Amino acid sequence: MARVVLERATVDDDAALRRLLAGNPMDGPIRVAFEREPSYFGAVRVQGPFCQVILARDLDTGEPVAVGARAIKPVFVNGRPRDVGYLSDLRVLPAYRGRTVLARGYRLIRDLHADGRTDLYYTVIAAENAAALAALTRGRAGLPAYRDLGGFVSPAIVLGRRKPALHGGVEIVPGTDARLDDIVGCLNEHGRAKQFAPVYRREDFGDGGRFPGFRVEDFTLALRGGRVVGALGRWDQRAFKQTRVVGYRGPLRLLRPFVNAGAPVLGWPRFPRPGEALASFHAAFLAVEGNDVGVFGALLRHVYNAAAGGSHAYMVVGLHERDPLTAALDGYRCAPYRGRLFCVHFDDGAAAYGVLDGRVPHVEVATL
């Protein structure tokens, strides 16, 4: 049996981590690999200002066989800012599943958790990933508690033909540096109404901020009486974070050439070739006063129309299934994705979990 050691990863492990992610795709009708080129650590920093990466390495080959990350970030919990953890990037090579790697990894996370930075975490697991759901949520000894908070929908909206503009009783304008304080104020004011929505600072945006490649001008704003009542950003992350199609299974493998042949006539994007990265961007940094579906619909339609016919094929949106804003997705052709959102805690977090109120959760899909 292979000997495996678990340790904190460093920047010297960057290339090995990137190989692990690229070579361990997610199964399904479309097999995709979530890559982090040219730097794993450069990409993981968008998950939170404090991040630790755990690496499992086969001592005989020297190669990584599993990885997981623990990030700490400020979010709103019951309407108040506090630091919460995010558990992400869990990958275990198939040959090492069913061994002790997972349990040992969580023992190391428990050791890191002893730093007292937080008592609550959250994570999102793909609804189709039955193996991960079973392994993590069945109350296995040594693992933290996984509390199901419901479905998380993250469809990739197909950027086909332009659609009629929607107005929503607001003026739609681009973001500017002069409005940055108002933008951050809008994000925080309306984010506090939802569970786990991020807390933002002015310094997070622009050069040197937490979100590489995103500019203030990439915001689309909704104004009413000159006041910012809604915001939505367009964030292309392909310079540091890629989703690559590895292959197709089932009927889609046979149907793909025929669908691609008709795509130009029907206004559909084609299915990428195996090995090709998805041409997509995230509709990120969403905030809408009073959960006004009309305002969100106007923002989403403006971003959609601005991108239609361009170099992107998809726009990725992320909302909780209970969020009333999901109504604005009607009328768009989407490639669906569903996940399950969990609150995760060790024994010392049971009380904090127990007092979570009934606010609709909102986690930023672009930082998952």
Side-chain angles (χ1 to χ4, degrees), residues 8-364:
R8 285 274 306 278
T10 71
V11 292
D12 291 336
D13 299 308
D14 202 284
L17 288 166
R18 287 183 277 120
R19 286 197 304 273
L20 177 61
L21 292 183
N24 193 28
M26 180 179 292
D27 284 329
I30 305 177
R31 300 181 67 232
V32 295
F34 300 105
E35 300 180 358
R36 303 291 186 268
E37 300 291 345
S39 168
Y40 177 87
F41 280 94
V44 78
R45 70 186 181 95
V46 307
Q47 296 179 0
F50 177 84
C51 192
Q52 298 165 313
V53 180
I54 297 171
L55 177 67
R57 191 189 310 276
D58 187 317
L59 286 177
D60 296 324
T61 66
E63 283 297 299
V65 300
V67 64
R70 171 191 184 240
I72 309 294
K73 64 180 75 178
V75 303
F76 288 105
V77 176
N78 294 346
R80 299 191 176 191
R82 60 169 292 176
D83 284 343
V84 164
Y86 171 54
L87 302 177
S88 68
D89 286 355
L90 179 61
R91 303 285 191 281
V92 182
L93 289 183
Y96 296 83
R97 296 171 189 168
R99 304 188 185 187
T100 62
V101 173
L102 186 65
R104 291 169 60 197
Y106 273 93
R107 283 200 294 271
L108 182 50
I109 290 177
R110 186 187 293 270
D111 291 341
L112 298 177
H113 172 76
D115 62 11
R117 291 178 179 270
T118 186
D119 53 4
L120 284 181
Y121 298 83
Y122 70 85
T123 194
V124 177
I125 303 174
E128 292 184 350
N129 194 344
L133 288 169
L136 297 174
T137 64
R138 64 188 177 191
R140 180 175 171 180
L143 269 62
Y146 275 69
R147 310 289 190 176
D148 195 341
L149 298 182
F152 180 76
V153 294
S154 182
I157 295 175
V158 176
L159 294 169
R161 298 187 178 97
R162 289 172 60 88
K163 297 177 180 290
L166 299 176
H167 301 289
V170 291
E171 178 188 4
I172 301 296
V173 300
T176 63
D177 285 330
R179 284 199 166 105
L180 183 54
D181 286 336
D182 293 334
I183 294 169
V184 173
C186 176
L187 293 173
N188 289 333
E189 178 183 357
H190 306 303
R192 71 174 63 248
K194 296 183 176 180
Q195 210 70 280
F196 300 131
V199 177
Y200 294 107
R201 307 171 305 157
R202 178 186 177 93
E203 295 77 17
D204 291 335
F205 300 99
D207 293 340
R210 278 184 51 209
F211 310 119
F214 185 83
R215 307 165 304 162
V216 176
E217 294 81 6
D218 295 324
F219 273 112
T220 296
L221 308 178
L223 304 184
R224 183 178 288 136
R227 188 169 57 88
V228 178
V229 297
L232 186 64
R234 174 177 170 174
W235 190 8
D236 185 340
Q237 301 183 338
R238 290 178 296 173
F240 63 92
K241 184 178 175 184
Q242 305 82 27
T243 301
R244 190 171 306 280
V245 173
V246 175
Y248 297 87
R249 287 182 172 170
L252 189 54
R253 182 174 64 86
L254 301 175
L255 292 174
R256 184 180 69 88
F258 300 100
V259 174
N260 283 353
V265 177
L266 298 172
W268 296 350
R270 62 176 181 81
F271 283 100
R273 297 184 303 274
E276 187 176 352
L278 290 180
S280 64
F281 67 87
H282 285 85
F285 312 122
L286 165 64
V288 175
E289 185 176 77
N291 267 346
D292 190 318
V293 176
V295 173
F296 177 47
L299 288 167
L300 190 66
R301 182 61 55 85
H302 184 90
V303 174
Y304 173 95
N305 282 339
S311 62
H312 296 94
Y314 300 97
M315 170 174 64
V316 179
V317 182
L319 293 166
H320 191 271
E321 63 182 1
R322 290 198 291 118
D323 197 319
L325 297 181
T326 58
L329 302 178
D330 294 343
Y332 292 96
R333 187 182 299 114
C334 299
Y337 171 86
R338 294 188 64 86
R340 302 299 299 181
L341 176 66
F342 292 89
C343 181
V344 184
H345 65 82
F346 294 98
D347 292 344
D348 63 346
Y353 167 75
V355 297
L356 292 180
D357 61 28
R359 294 166 206 247
V360 173
H362 179 77
V363 296
E364 177 49 66

